[in-house]
Amino acid sequence: MEKKILVSGLHCENCPRHIAELIKDAKGVKNLDKDMDKMTLTISGTEDLDVNEIKQDLSSKPFTVEELA
């Protein structure tokens, strides 16, 4: 089963790179798909992907994190 997490509130082209660095140790992350028109990043992963772990990893940054159905 695949899970997806949406990160919104990106400010520039460097945000996805910074997010990738912050979540590099998170379990289950498989792919990051940025959409700079919408200023969002979608994180795809395995069933081990945990939205709470991603929220914690990004808690010091002004991003909004939500799990997609």
Short mmCIF file of all heavy atoms in Angstrom, two decimals:
data_model
loop_
_atom_site.label_atom_id
_atom_site.label_comp_id
_atom_site.label_asym_id
_atom_site.label_seq_id
_atom_site.Cartn_x
_atom_site.Cartn_y
_atom_site.Cartn_z
N MET A 1 0.83 -1.18 0.00
CA MET A 1 0.00 0.00 0.00
C MET A 1 0.88 1.24 0.00
O MET A 1 1.81 1.34 0.78
CB MET A 1 -0.88 0.00 1.25
CG MET A 1 -1.79 1.18 1.35
SD MET A 1 -2.83 0.98 2.82
CE MET A 1 -2.92 2.67 3.33
N GLU A 2 0.59 2.18 -0.89
CA GLU A 2 1.37 3.40 -0.97
C GLU A 2 0.66 4.52 -0.22
O GLU A 2 -0.56 4.62 -0.23
CB GLU A 2 1.56 3.81 -2.42
CG GLU A 2 2.45 5.02 -2.57
CD GLU A 2 2.79 5.32 -4.01
OE1 GLU A 2 3.65 4.63 -4.58
OE2 GLU A 2 2.19 6.26 -4.55
N LYS A 3 1.43 5.35 0.45
CA LYS A 3 0.91 6.52 1.16
C LYS A 3 1.48 7.77 0.52
O LYS A 3 2.58 7.75 -0.05
CB LYS A 3 1.32 6.50 2.63
CG LYS A 3 0.60 5.50 3.47
CD LYS A 3 0.99 5.71 4.92
CE LYS A 3 0.26 4.77 5.85
NZ LYS A 3 0.66 4.99 7.24
N LYS A 4 0.74 8.88 0.65
CA LYS A 4 1.22 10.16 0.15
C LYS A 4 1.01 11.23 1.21
O LYS A 4 -0.01 11.23 1.89
CB LYS A 4 0.51 10.56 -1.14
CG LYS A 4 0.89 9.70 -2.32
CD LYS A 4 0.36 10.27 -3.60
CE LYS A 4 0.84 9.42 -4.76
NZ LYS A 4 0.49 10.02 -6.04
N ILE A 5 1.98 12.12 1.30
CA ILE A 5 1.92 13.24 2.23
C ILE A 5 2.15 14.52 1.41
O ILE A 5 3.08 14.59 0.61
CB ILE A 5 2.99 13.11 3.33
CG1 ILE A 5 2.70 11.89 4.19
CG2 ILE A 5 3.06 14.38 4.17
CD1 ILE A 5 3.78 11.57 5.21
N LEU A 6 1.29 15.52 1.62
CA LEU A 6 1.41 16.79 0.93
C LEU A 6 2.06 17.82 1.86
O LEU A 6 1.62 17.99 3.00
CB LEU A 6 0.03 17.30 0.50
CG LEU A 6 0.01 18.65 -0.22
CD1 LEU A 6 0.66 18.53 -1.59
CD2 LEU A 6 -1.40 19.17 -0.34
N VAL A 7 3.10 18.47 1.37
CA VAL A 7 3.76 19.55 2.10
C VAL A 7 3.50 20.83 1.33
O VAL A 7 3.87 20.93 0.15
CB VAL A 7 5.28 19.30 2.23
CG1 VAL A 7 5.94 20.43 3.01
CG2 VAL A 7 5.57 17.96 2.89
N SER A 8 2.84 21.78 1.95
CA SER A 8 2.56 23.05 1.28
C SER A 8 3.25 24.19 2.03
O SER A 8 3.72 24.02 3.14
CB SER A 8 1.06 23.29 1.16
OG SER A 8 0.44 23.20 2.42
N GLY A 9 3.29 25.34 1.38
CA GLY A 9 3.94 26.49 1.97
C GLY A 9 5.37 26.68 1.52
O GLY A 9 6.13 27.41 2.16
N LEU A 10 5.74 26.03 0.40
CA LEU A 10 7.07 26.21 -0.13
C LEU A 10 7.23 27.67 -0.58
O LEU A 10 6.27 28.30 -1.01
CB LEU A 10 7.32 25.28 -1.32
CG LEU A 10 7.70 23.83 -1.00
CD1 LEU A 10 6.61 23.11 -0.25
CD2 LEU A 10 8.04 23.09 -2.25
N HIS A 11 8.46 28.17 -0.50
CA HIS A 11 8.71 29.57 -0.85
C HIS A 11 9.58 29.72 -2.09
O HIS A 11 9.53 30.76 -2.74
CB HIS A 11 9.38 30.30 0.32
CG HIS A 11 8.54 30.28 1.55
ND1 HIS A 11 7.46 31.10 1.73
CD2 HIS A 11 8.62 29.53 2.67
CE1 HIS A 11 6.91 30.86 2.90
NE2 HIS A 11 7.59 29.90 3.49
N CYS A 12 10.40 28.73 -2.39
CA CYS A 12 11.33 28.86 -3.51
C CYS A 12 11.74 27.48 -4.03
O CYS A 12 11.35 26.46 -3.47
CB CYS A 12 12.57 29.64 -3.08
SG CYS A 12 13.60 28.78 -1.87
N GLU A 13 12.53 27.47 -5.08
CA GLU A 13 13.00 26.22 -5.69
C GLU A 13 13.90 25.41 -4.75
O GLU A 13 14.08 24.21 -4.95
CB GLU A 13 13.78 26.52 -6.98
CG GLU A 13 12.92 26.96 -8.14
CD GLU A 13 12.19 25.80 -8.80
OE1 GLU A 13 12.62 24.64 -8.66
OE2 GLU A 13 11.17 26.08 -9.44
N ASN A 14 14.47 26.05 -3.74
CA ASN A 14 15.36 25.34 -2.82
C ASN A 14 14.62 24.60 -1.72
O ASN A 14 15.19 23.72 -1.07
CB ASN A 14 16.35 26.33 -2.18
CG ASN A 14 17.36 26.84 -3.18
OD1 ASN A 14 17.82 26.10 -4.05
ND2 ASN A 14 17.70 28.11 -3.07
N CYS A 15 13.36 24.94 -1.48
CA CYS A 15 12.59 24.30 -0.41
C CYS A 15 12.55 22.77 -0.53
O CYS A 15 12.79 22.09 0.47
CB CYS A 15 11.18 24.87 -0.34
SG CYS A 15 11.09 26.53 0.35
N PRO A 16 12.26 22.21 -1.71
CA PRO A 16 12.24 20.74 -1.80
C PRO A 16 13.57 20.10 -1.42
O PRO A 16 13.59 19.05 -0.78
CB PRO A 16 11.89 20.47 -3.26
CG PRO A 16 11.13 21.68 -3.69
CD PRO A 16 11.79 22.82 -2.96
N ARG A 17 14.67 20.74 -1.77
CA ARG A 17 15.99 20.21 -1.40
C ARG A 17 16.17 20.24 0.11
O ARG A 17 16.67 19.28 0.71
CB ARG A 17 17.09 21.00 -2.10
CG ARG A 17 18.45 20.37 -1.92
CD ARG A 17 19.55 21.13 -2.63
NE ARG A 17 19.87 22.31 -1.84
CZ ARG A 17 19.92 23.55 -2.31
NH1 ARG A 17 19.67 23.80 -3.56
NH2 ARG A 17 20.21 24.56 -1.52
N HIS A 18 15.76 21.33 0.75
CA HIS A 18 15.87 21.43 2.20
C HIS A 18 14.98 20.40 2.90
O HIS A 18 15.38 19.78 3.88
CB HIS A 18 15.50 22.84 2.69
CG HIS A 18 16.46 23.89 2.24
ND1 HIS A 18 17.80 23.89 2.53
CD2 HIS A 18 16.25 25.00 1.49
CE1 HIS A 18 18.38 24.94 2.01
NE2 HIS A 18 17.45 25.64 1.36
N ILE A 19 13.77 20.21 2.38
CA ILE A 19 12.86 19.22 2.95
C ILE A 19 13.45 17.82 2.81
O ILE A 19 13.43 17.03 3.75
CB ILE A 19 11.47 19.30 2.28
CG1 ILE A 19 10.79 20.61 2.69
CG2 ILE A 19 10.61 18.09 2.66
CD1 ILE A 19 9.53 20.92 1.92
N ALA A 20 13.99 17.52 1.65
CA ALA A 20 14.61 16.20 1.43
C ALA A 20 15.71 15.95 2.44
O ALA A 20 15.84 14.83 2.96
CB ALA A 20 15.16 16.11 0.01
N GLU A 21 16.50 16.96 2.75
CA GLU A 21 17.57 16.82 3.73
C GLU A 21 16.99 16.59 5.13
O GLU A 21 17.50 15.76 5.88
CB GLU A 21 18.46 18.07 3.72
CG GLU A 21 19.62 18.01 4.68
CD GLU A 21 20.63 16.92 4.38
OE1 GLU A 21 20.79 16.51 3.21
OE2 GLU A 21 21.28 16.45 5.32
N LEU A 22 15.92 17.30 5.46
CA LEU A 22 15.32 17.17 6.79
C LEU A 22 14.64 15.82 7.01
O LEU A 22 14.59 15.33 8.14
CB LEU A 22 14.30 18.29 7.02
CG LEU A 22 14.88 19.69 7.17
CD1 LEU A 22 13.77 20.73 7.10
CD2 LEU A 22 15.64 19.82 8.49
N ILE A 23 14.11 15.21 5.94
CA ILE A 23 13.38 13.94 6.11
C ILE A 23 14.18 12.74 5.61
O ILE A 23 13.63 11.65 5.49
CB ILE A 23 12.01 13.99 5.40
CG1 ILE A 23 12.18 14.08 3.88
CG2 ILE A 23 11.15 15.10 5.94
CD1 ILE A 23 10.90 13.83 3.12
N LYS A 24 15.47 12.92 5.38
CA LYS A 24 16.27 11.84 4.79
C LYS A 24 16.27 10.55 5.60
O LYS A 24 16.43 9.47 5.05
CB LYS A 24 17.71 12.31 4.56
CG LYS A 24 18.48 12.55 5.81
CD LYS A 24 19.88 13.03 5.54
CE LYS A 24 20.59 13.27 6.86
NZ LYS A 24 21.80 13.99 6.70
N ASP A 25 16.06 10.64 6.91
CA ASP A 25 16.07 9.44 7.76
C ASP A 25 14.67 8.91 8.04
O ASP A 25 14.52 7.93 8.76
CB ASP A 25 16.78 9.74 9.08
CG ASP A 25 18.26 10.04 8.88
OD1 ASP A 25 18.86 9.47 7.95
OD2 ASP A 25 18.81 10.85 9.64
N ALA A 26 13.64 9.55 7.50
CA ALA A 26 12.26 9.10 7.73
C ALA A 26 12.02 7.76 7.06
O ALA A 26 12.45 7.53 5.93
CB ALA A 26 11.27 10.14 7.22
N LYS A 27 11.31 6.88 7.75
CA LYS A 27 11.02 5.55 7.21
C LYS A 27 9.98 5.63 6.10
O LYS A 27 9.03 6.40 6.19
CB LYS A 27 10.50 4.63 8.31
CG LYS A 27 11.52 4.23 9.31
CD LYS A 27 10.95 3.26 10.30
CE LYS A 27 10.29 4.09 11.39
NZ LYS A 27 9.74 3.32 12.49
N GLY A 28 10.17 4.83 5.07
CA GLY A 28 9.16 4.64 4.04
C GLY A 28 9.16 5.64 2.89
O GLY A 28 8.37 5.50 1.97
N VAL A 29 10.00 6.66 2.93
CA VAL A 29 10.02 7.66 1.85
C VAL A 29 10.59 7.04 0.59
O VAL A 29 11.67 6.46 0.60
CB VAL A 29 10.82 8.92 2.25
CG1 VAL A 29 10.94 9.88 1.08
CG2 VAL A 29 10.20 9.61 3.44
N LYS A 30 9.85 7.17 -0.52
CA LYS A 30 10.31 6.63 -1.80
C LYS A 30 10.54 7.72 -2.84
O LYS A 30 11.47 7.62 -3.63
CB LYS A 30 9.29 5.63 -2.35
CG LYS A 30 9.20 4.34 -1.56
CD LYS A 30 8.08 3.47 -2.03
CE LYS A 30 8.37 2.80 -3.33
NZ LYS A 30 7.29 1.88 -3.76
N ASN A 31 9.69 8.75 -2.85
CA ASN A 31 9.77 9.73 -3.92
C ASN A 31 9.28 11.10 -3.44
O ASN A 31 8.36 11.18 -2.64
CB ASN A 31 8.89 9.26 -5.10
CG ASN A 31 9.06 10.11 -6.32
OD1 ASN A 31 10.17 10.48 -6.68
ND2 ASN A 31 7.96 10.43 -6.97
N LEU A 32 9.90 12.15 -3.97
CA LEU A 32 9.46 13.53 -3.73
C LEU A 32 9.08 14.13 -5.08
O LEU A 32 9.86 14.07 -6.02
CB LEU A 32 10.58 14.36 -3.10
CG LEU A 32 11.17 13.84 -1.80
CD1 LEU A 32 12.31 14.75 -1.35
CD2 LEU A 32 10.12 13.76 -0.72
N ASP A 33 7.89 14.69 -5.16
CA ASP A 33 7.41 15.28 -6.41
C ASP A 33 7.00 16.72 -6.15
O ASP A 33 6.00 16.98 -5.50
CB ASP A 33 6.21 14.47 -6.94
CG ASP A 33 5.72 14.96 -8.28
OD1 ASP A 33 6.53 15.49 -9.07
OD2 ASP A 33 4.51 14.83 -8.53
N LYS A 34 7.82 17.66 -6.66
CA LYS A 34 7.53 19.07 -6.41
C LYS A 34 6.64 19.65 -7.49
O LYS A 34 6.70 19.26 -8.65
CB LYS A 34 8.82 19.87 -6.30
CG LYS A 34 9.62 19.96 -7.58
CD LYS A 34 10.88 20.76 -7.37
CE LYS A 34 11.69 20.79 -8.66
NZ LYS A 34 12.90 21.54 -8.55
N ASP A 35 5.80 20.59 -7.10
CA ASP A 35 4.94 21.35 -8.01
C ASP A 35 5.12 22.81 -7.64
O ASP A 35 4.44 23.33 -6.75
CB ASP A 35 3.47 20.92 -7.87
CG ASP A 35 2.55 21.65 -8.83
OD1 ASP A 35 2.94 22.71 -9.36
OD2 ASP A 35 1.43 21.16 -9.05
N MET A 36 6.04 23.49 -8.32
CA MET A 36 6.36 24.86 -7.96
C MET A 36 5.26 25.83 -8.38
O MET A 36 5.19 26.94 -7.87
CB MET A 36 7.72 25.27 -8.54
CG MET A 36 8.90 24.48 -7.95
SD MET A 36 8.90 24.31 -6.14
CE MET A 36 9.17 26.00 -5.63
N ASP A 37 4.36 25.43 -9.29
CA ASP A 37 3.22 26.28 -9.63
C ASP A 37 2.28 26.40 -8.43
O ASP A 37 1.73 27.46 -8.15
CB ASP A 37 2.45 25.74 -10.84
CG ASP A 37 3.24 25.87 -12.13
OD1 ASP A 37 4.09 26.79 -12.23
OD2 ASP A 37 3.01 25.06 -13.04
N LYS A 38 2.09 25.28 -7.71
CA LYS A 38 1.22 25.26 -6.53
C LYS A 38 2.02 25.45 -5.24
O LYS A 38 1.43 25.53 -4.17
CB LYS A 38 0.45 23.95 -6.46
CG LYS A 38 -0.53 23.77 -7.60
CD LYS A 38 -1.27 22.46 -7.45
CE LYS A 38 -2.23 22.26 -8.61
NZ LYS A 38 -2.91 20.97 -8.52
N MET A 39 3.36 25.45 -5.38
CA MET A 39 4.26 25.58 -4.23
C MET A 39 4.03 24.46 -3.21
O MET A 39 3.91 24.67 -2.01
CB MET A 39 4.13 26.96 -3.57
CG MET A 39 4.45 28.11 -4.51
SD MET A 39 6.09 28.02 -5.25
CE MET A 39 7.09 28.72 -3.96
N THR A 40 3.94 23.23 -3.74
CA THR A 40 3.74 22.05 -2.89
C THR A 40 4.77 20.97 -3.22
O THR A 40 5.39 20.99 -4.28
CB THR A 40 2.33 21.45 -3.08
OG1 THR A 40 2.16 21.05 -4.43
CG2 THR A 40 1.25 22.44 -2.68
N LEU A 41 4.88 20.04 -2.31
CA LEU A 41 5.74 18.87 -2.48
C LEU A 41 4.95 17.66 -2.02
O LEU A 41 4.40 17.67 -0.91
CB LEU A 41 7.01 19.02 -1.63
CG LEU A 41 8.00 17.87 -1.69
CD1 LEU A 41 8.75 17.87 -3.02
CD2 LEU A 41 8.98 17.95 -0.54
N THR A 42 4.86 16.64 -2.86
CA THR A 42 4.17 15.41 -2.48
C THR A 42 5.22 14.35 -2.18
O THR A 42 6.10 14.09 -3.00
CB THR A 42 3.24 14.93 -3.61
OG1 THR A 42 2.30 15.97 -3.91
CG2 THR A 42 2.48 13.68 -3.18
N ILE A 43 5.13 13.77 -1.00
CA ILE A 43 6.04 12.71 -0.57
C ILE A 43 5.30 11.39 -0.71
O ILE A 43 4.25 11.21 -0.10
CB ILE A 43 6.47 12.91 0.89
CG1 ILE A 43 7.12 14.28 1.07
CG2 ILE A 43 7.41 11.79 1.33
CD1 ILE A 43 7.30 14.68 2.53
N SER A 44 5.82 10.49 -1.51
CA SER A 44 5.23 9.16 -1.69
C SER A 44 6.09 8.14 -0.98
O SER A 44 7.31 8.29 -0.90
CB SER A 44 5.15 8.80 -3.17
OG SER A 44 4.39 9.74 -3.86
N GLY A 45 5.44 7.10 -0.48
CA GLY A 45 6.21 6.08 0.20
C GLY A 45 5.41 4.83 0.48
O GLY A 45 4.27 4.69 0.07
N THR A 46 6.05 3.95 1.21
CA THR A 46 5.45 2.66 1.57
C THR A 46 4.49 2.86 2.74
O THR A 46 4.35 3.95 3.27
CB THR A 46 6.54 1.66 1.97
OG1 THR A 46 7.17 2.14 3.17
CG2 THR A 46 7.58 1.49 0.88
N GLU A 47 3.89 1.78 3.16
CA GLU A 47 2.96 1.85 4.29
C GLU A 47 3.67 2.28 5.58
O GLU A 47 3.02 2.68 6.54
CB GLU A 47 2.25 0.52 4.50
CG GLU A 47 3.17 -0.63 4.78
CD GLU A 47 2.45 -1.96 4.77
OE1 GLU A 47 1.53 -2.14 3.96
OE2 GLU A 47 2.83 -2.83 5.57
N ASP A 48 5.00 2.23 5.62
CA ASP A 48 5.77 2.67 6.78
C ASP A 48 5.87 4.19 6.87
O ASP A 48 6.29 4.71 7.90
CB ASP A 48 7.18 2.08 6.76
CG ASP A 48 7.19 0.58 6.92
OD1 ASP A 48 6.27 0.04 7.55
OD2 ASP A 48 8.13 -0.07 6.42
N LEU A 49 5.50 4.89 5.80
CA LEU A 49 5.57 6.35 5.78
C LEU A 49 4.63 6.91 6.86
O LEU A 49 3.46 6.59 6.89
CB LEU A 49 5.17 6.88 4.40
CG LEU A 49 5.30 8.37 4.15
CD1 LEU A 49 6.74 8.83 4.30
CD2 LEU A 49 4.79 8.71 2.76
N ASP A 50 5.18 7.73 7.75
CA ASP A 50 4.43 8.22 8.91
C ASP A 50 4.32 9.75 8.86
O ASP A 50 5.32 10.45 8.96
CB ASP A 50 5.14 7.78 10.18
CG ASP A 50 4.41 8.16 11.45
OD1 ASP A 50 3.34 8.80 11.38
OD2 ASP A 50 4.91 7.80 12.53
N VAL A 51 3.09 10.24 8.71
CA VAL A 51 2.86 11.68 8.62
C VAL A 51 3.34 12.39 9.89
O VAL A 51 3.88 13.50 9.82
CB VAL A 51 1.38 12.01 8.31
CG1 VAL A 51 0.48 11.65 9.46
CG2 VAL A 51 1.21 13.47 7.92
N ASN A 52 3.21 11.77 11.04
CA ASN A 52 3.65 12.39 12.29
C ASN A 52 5.17 12.53 12.34
O ASN A 52 5.68 13.53 12.85
CB ASN A 52 3.14 11.61 13.50
CG ASN A 52 1.63 11.71 13.63
OD1 ASN A 52 1.05 12.76 13.40
ND2 ASN A 52 1.00 10.60 13.96
N GLU A 53 5.88 11.56 11.81
CA GLU A 53 7.34 11.64 11.76
C GLU A 53 7.77 12.78 10.82
O GLU A 53 8.68 13.54 11.14
CB GLU A 53 7.94 10.32 11.28
CG GLU A 53 9.45 10.32 11.25
CD GLU A 53 10.05 8.98 10.83
OE1 GLU A 53 9.30 8.05 10.49
OE2 GLU A 53 11.29 8.89 10.81
N ILE A 54 7.09 12.91 9.68
CA ILE A 54 7.40 13.99 8.74
C ILE A 54 7.09 15.34 9.38
O ILE A 54 7.88 16.29 9.27
CB ILE A 54 6.62 13.82 7.42
CG1 ILE A 54 6.97 12.49 6.74
CG2 ILE A 54 6.86 15.00 6.49
CD1 ILE A 54 8.40 12.33 6.30
N LYS A 55 5.96 15.45 10.06
CA LYS A 55 5.60 16.70 10.75
C LYS A 55 6.67 17.07 11.77
O LYS A 55 7.06 18.23 11.90
CB LYS A 55 4.25 16.57 11.46
CG LYS A 55 3.08 16.68 10.53
CD LYS A 55 1.78 16.58 11.32
CE LYS A 55 0.58 16.70 10.41
NZ LYS A 55 -0.69 16.63 11.14
N GLN A 56 7.13 16.08 12.51
CA GLN A 56 8.16 16.34 13.52
C GLN A 56 9.47 16.78 12.85
O GLN A 56 10.11 17.73 13.31
CB GLN A 56 8.40 15.10 14.37
CG GLN A 56 9.40 15.33 15.49
CD GLN A 56 9.54 14.12 16.39
OE1 GLN A 56 8.85 13.12 16.23
NE2 GLN A 56 10.43 14.20 17.34
N ASP A 57 9.85 16.11 11.76
CA ASP A 57 11.08 16.47 11.06
C ASP A 57 11.02 17.90 10.51
O ASP A 57 12.05 18.57 10.42
CB ASP A 57 11.34 15.50 9.90
CG ASP A 57 11.75 14.11 10.38
OD1 ASP A 57 12.09 13.96 11.57
OD2 ASP A 57 11.71 13.18 9.55
N LEU A 58 9.82 18.36 10.14
CA LEU A 58 9.66 19.68 9.55
C LEU A 58 9.12 20.72 10.53
O LEU A 58 8.79 21.84 10.12
CB LEU A 58 8.74 19.59 8.32
CG LEU A 58 9.20 18.67 7.20
CD1 LEU A 58 8.18 18.66 6.07
CD2 LEU A 58 10.56 19.10 6.67
N SER A 59 9.03 20.37 11.80
CA SER A 59 8.38 21.25 12.78
C SER A 59 9.06 22.61 12.94
O SER A 59 8.41 23.58 13.31
CB SER A 59 8.28 20.55 14.13
OG SER A 59 9.58 20.32 14.65
N SER A 60 10.34 22.69 12.64
CA SER A 60 11.04 23.97 12.78
C SER A 60 10.89 24.86 11.55
O SER A 60 11.41 25.97 11.52
CB SER A 60 12.53 23.72 13.05
OG SER A 60 13.13 23.11 11.92
N LYS A 61 10.18 24.39 10.55
CA LYS A 61 10.00 25.13 9.30
C LYS A 61 8.53 25.51 9.12
O LYS A 61 7.64 24.86 9.65
CB LYS A 61 10.46 24.27 8.11
CG LYS A 61 11.90 23.80 8.20
CD LYS A 61 12.85 24.96 8.19
CE LYS A 61 14.29 24.48 8.33
NZ LYS A 61 15.21 25.53 8.62
N PRO A 62 8.26 26.55 8.31
CA PRO A 62 6.87 27.04 8.17
C PRO A 62 6.06 26.30 7.11
O PRO A 62 5.38 26.91 6.29
CB PRO A 62 7.08 28.50 7.76
CG PRO A 62 8.34 28.46 6.96
CD PRO A 62 9.21 27.43 7.65
N PHE A 63 6.13 24.96 7.09
CA PHE A 63 5.42 24.17 6.11
C PHE A 63 4.17 23.55 6.75
O PHE A 63 4.14 23.26 7.93
CB PHE A 63 6.28 23.06 5.54
CG PHE A 63 7.55 23.54 4.90
CD1 PHE A 63 8.78 23.13 5.36
CD2 PHE A 63 7.52 24.41 3.83
CE1 PHE A 63 9.95 23.56 4.77
CE2 PHE A 63 8.68 24.86 3.23
CZ PHE A 63 9.91 24.43 3.71
N THR A 64 3.16 23.31 5.92
CA THR A 64 1.96 22.59 6.34
C THR A 64 2.08 21.16 5.81
O THR A 64 2.38 20.96 4.65
CB THR A 64 0.71 23.25 5.76
OG1 THR A 64 0.66 24.61 6.19
CG2 THR A 64 -0.55 22.53 6.22
N VAL A 65 1.85 20.19 6.69
CA VAL A 65 2.01 18.77 6.34
C VAL A 65 0.67 18.07 6.55
O VAL A 65 0.08 18.18 7.63
CB VAL A 65 3.08 18.10 7.21
CG1 VAL A 65 3.23 16.63 6.84
CG2 VAL A 65 4.41 18.83 7.07
N GLU A 66 0.19 17.35 5.52
CA GLU A 66 -1.05 16.59 5.67
C GLU A 66 -0.98 15.30 4.87
O GLU A 66 -0.37 15.25 3.81
CB GLU A 66 -2.26 17.42 5.23
CG GLU A 66 -2.23 17.81 3.77
CD GLU A 66 -3.38 18.71 3.38
OE1 GLU A 66 -4.51 18.18 3.28
OE2 GLU A 66 -3.14 19.89 3.15
N GLU A 67 -1.62 14.27 5.41
CA GLU A 67 -1.66 12.98 4.72
C GLU A 67 -2.77 13.01 3.69
O GLU A 67 -3.86 13.51 3.94
CB GLU A 67 -1.90 11.86 5.72
CG GLU A 67 -1.74 10.48 5.11
CD GLU A 67 -1.65 9.40 6.16
OE1 GLU A 67 -1.70 9.68 7.36
OE2 GLU A 67 -1.53 8.23 5.75
N LEU A 68 -2.48 12.50 2.49
CA LEU A 68 -3.48 12.41 1.42
C LEU A 68 -4.10 11.02 1.42
O LEU A 68 -3.43 10.04 1.71
CB LEU A 68 -2.82 12.68 0.07
CG LEU A 68 -2.16 14.06 -0.09
CD1 LEU A 68 -1.44 14.14 -1.42
CD2 LEU A 68 -3.18 15.16 0.05
N ALA A 69 -5.35 10.94 1.06
CA ALA A 69 -6.05 9.66 1.02
C ALA A 69 -5.65 8.87 -0.21
O ALA A 69 -5.20 9.36 -1.18
CB ALA A 69 -7.56 9.88 1.00
#
